[in-house]
Amino acid sequence: MSHRIIVLGAGYSGAIAAGRLAKRLHREDVAITLVNAEPDFVERVRMHQLATGQDLTPRPFAEMFAGTGVELKLAKVTGVDVDHKTVAVVDENGAGQLSYDTLVYALGSGWNTRGVPGTAEHAYELASRPGALRLRERLARLGAGQRVVVVGGGLTGLEAATEIAEARPDLDVALAARGELGDWLSPNGRRHLRKVVGKLGITVHEHAAVTGVEAGRVALAEGEAIPAEVTVWTTGFAVHPIAQATDLRVTGAGRIVVDETMRSVSHPDVYAIGDAASAMGAGNKPLRMSCASGTPMAWQAADAIAARLTGRKIPKAPLGYFNQCISLGRKEGLIQYVTSDDRAVRAVLTGRFAALYKELVCKGAAWGVAHPTLGLPVRRHRVTREQVTSGEAVRAVA
Ligand SMILES: Cc1cc2nc3c(=O)[nH]c(=O)nc-3n(C[C@H](O)[C@H](O)[C@H](O)COP(=O)(O)OP(=O)(O)OC[C@H]3O[C@@H](n4cnc5c(N)ncnc54)[C@H](O)[C@@H]3O)c2cc1C
């Protein structure tokens, strides 16, 4: 009898966790199942590239996990019962149920309309591949001079607006930010951002509180409006409602609350990682939804699970930040160095070199999914006899 580990979601964090668990644990002792709705890995960090007509490298999971010992199950997760330790799924054969001994929840996130009226009906999103493809198709149909308004002045909004303006210089691109443009960046970072945004001809609406999206315009507070043939909504991410419907302890936004090992604080056989989890980072500040957080969270969860199952000391993954890497189109970029708790410091890297740096970071993130132990040789450890699965002892001891 082997210990059943189910990983839900094969995005950056889930795919890394599954692959790393397979590298750390002996194949005869564990059955690792990775459940994902789609058959290939989606590089979410490149969705603005996909939306502007660029083609991304296909990354089928069947190739990525061939020979690793991870079993891929193509299915949509519809619910989790943490009391009975089951996951409800729907696949091509209909509804089914999977049982686990340890669950890793990594279902990621989607766009966040923040309840602003008209957003779901009239705005486009690029937090998901279907959303990015829909936007791609719409942008392709726009004619010269037509207006695209990107709502949201955060990292995704900056990347989206600059990518669209660079790819389609014939369009009239605007960015609506709640505060000042790049107000969290260092003075050097802000200066560079303004320079690039100006060169690309992007109109910036600062202190713009968007109160609604309508066909053909974005409504602002105090009755003003920005005309928009296409509105792109990028005001942060929201998690899927599955965790909130369970008995797991979640935040008000539905993210699973975890300890420093990524283990649920309410259910010790559940781990959560990536955007779906609420974990504390350096300075006791919550980690933000990002690949930059999701990757070390995945390392930490996989190593903690493996350590607990094999009776070893739990190693600590570095959960601090180092830089924010922002693409500003394909030819420009901004690398803003930060403290471990994500506050901008003076140093920045700009220009073509920064664009190349960011490209390498994106490539590295995808490489990291296929090489979850960073290519380092590892020894698979045996699960100890004390670890029980549904009342049955796991066979084999080191
Ligand atoms: C345009 C854009 C640019 C970004 N740029 C950066 C960046 O430069 N740096 C950075 O750090 N972060 C960036 N991010 C954020 C980053 O992409 C996310 O934080 C990251 O993808 C989260 O990883 P995850 O593993 O938690 O979830 P995801 O990558 O979202 O993966 C979740 C997986 O779960 C699957 N799934 C979801 N629901 C179900 C279900 N019900 N059943 C089965 N499977 C399901 C999905 O198909 C997916 O494979 C960017 C995001 C976007 C949209």
Side-chain angles (χ1 to χ4, degrees):
M1 197 57 199
S2 57
H3 188 93
R4 296 159 303 177
I5 302 176
I6 294 186
V7 181
L8 302 183
Y12 290 94
S13 62
I16 291 175
R20 195 165 171 108
L21 280 162
K23 291 258 183 190
R24 296 264 185 258
L25 295 165
H26 209 279
R27 279 193 200 173
E28 287 169 28
D29 299 344
V30 286
I32 302 168
T33 307
L34 177 59
V35 186
N36 199 65
E38 298 184 69
D40 58 335
F41 178 67
V42 175
E43 284 185 272
R44 268 183 80 191
V45 302
R46 292 192 192 270
M47 286 303 104
H48 51 303
Q49 294 177 240
L50 188 65
T52 51
Q54 297 166 53
D55 291 326
L56 307 183
T57 309
R59 299 181 191 278
F61 288 124
E63 278 175 25
M64 221 178 237
F65 288 104
T68 61
V70 174
E71 191 201 330
L72 183 70
K73 174 146 185 77
L74 274 185
K76 190 172 164 52
V77 177
T78 53
V80 176
D81 182 337
V82 286
D83 299 318
H84 295 98
K85 297 195 187 186
T86 56
V87 176
V89 294
V90 176
D91 65 12
E92 55 184 12
N93 302 316
Q97 189 171 289
L98 308 171
S99 297
Y100 64 82
D101 299 303
T102 298
L103 183 74
V104 181
Y105 187 105
L107 290 181
S109 65
W111 66 320
N112 190 347
T113 64
R114 299 190 182 274
V116 173
T119 306
E121 296 83 359
H122 301 293
Y124 288 78
E125 55 106 355
L126 37 65
S128 71
R129 182 164 57 185
L133 288 172
R134 209 175 134 249
L135 176 59
R136 175 182 171 120
E137 191 267 327
R138 182 71 185 97
L139 289 176
R141 282 193 288 114
L142 284 184
Q146 290 197 289
R147 167 68 72 88
V148 177
V149 176
V150 176
V151 179
L155 297 168
T156 311
L158 296 180
E159 293 199 329
T162 51
E163 196 78 39
I164 295 169
E166 185 190 85
R168 290 291 306 273
D170 59 319
L171 296 179
D172 177 3
V173 180
L175 177 72
R178 182 185 282 280
E180 261 177 43
L181 184 68
D183 51 12
W184 72 94
L185 298 167
S186 66
N188 284 342
R190 276 202 293 265
R191 207 170 305 123
H192 185 70
L193 178 62
R194 274 196 193 279
K195 196 175 97 188
V196 176
V197 162
K199 265 197 192 160
L200 289 169
I202 299 170
T203 308
V204 180
H205 299 267
E206 295 178 305
H207 305 290
V210 174
T211 54
V213 182
E214 298 159 23
R217 59 180 228 151
V218 168
L220 302 179
E222 288 149 25
E224 289 173 53
I226 310 171
E229 262 81 35
V230 171
T231 301
V232 183
W233 195 264
T234 69
T235 62
F237 304 130
V239 295
H240 305 293
I242 292 172
Q244 200 144 30
T246 66
D247 286 338
L248 288 164
R249 190 180 309 163
V250 296
T251 64
R255 296 169 80 189
I256 299 170
V257 182
V258 294
D259 66 14
E260 68 283 358
T261 69
M262 306 300 129
R263 192 182 213 179
S264 154
V265 295
S266 59
H267 292 73
D269 37 29
V270 177
Y271 290 72
I273 50 179
D275 290 1
S278 173
M280 291 299 168
N284 217 25
K285 277 168 66 177
L287 294 171
R288 72 181 148 86
M289 290 187 187
S290 63
C291 244
S293 317
T295 299
M297 287 165 96
W299 295 337
Q300 181 63 77
D303 290 356
I305 293 168
R308 286 190 172 115
L309 288 178
T310 57
R312 281 157 201 276
K313 193 168 173 271
I314 299 175
K316 264 194 171 253
L319 288 175
Y321 297 97
F322 173 59
N323 55 25
Q324 293 177 6
C325 302
I326 313 167
S327 66
L328 301 171
R330 293 300 90 204
K331 301 185 194 101
E332 261 291 355
L334 171 61
I335 310 300
Q336 172 66 65
Y337 292 93
V338 296
T339 56
S340 59
D341 63 349
D342 213 22
R343 285 170 295 122
V345 298
R346 270 189 70 197
V348 291
L349 197 66
T350 60
R352 274 186 183 274
F353 194 64
L356 177 66
Y357 186 114
K358 172 70 198 250
E359 175 56 26
L360 291 176
V361 166
C362 292
K363 278 204 167 90
W367 182 88
V369 170
H371 301 86
T373 49
L374 303 176
L376 298 172
V378 284
R379 245 191 89 214
R380 286 192 174 86
H381 296 295
R382 305 304 302 252
V383 172
T384 59
R385 194 179 289 278
E386 293 75 42
Q387 295 304 325
V388 287
T389 66
S390 322
E392 289 155 304
V394 172
R395 61 167 223 81
V397 190

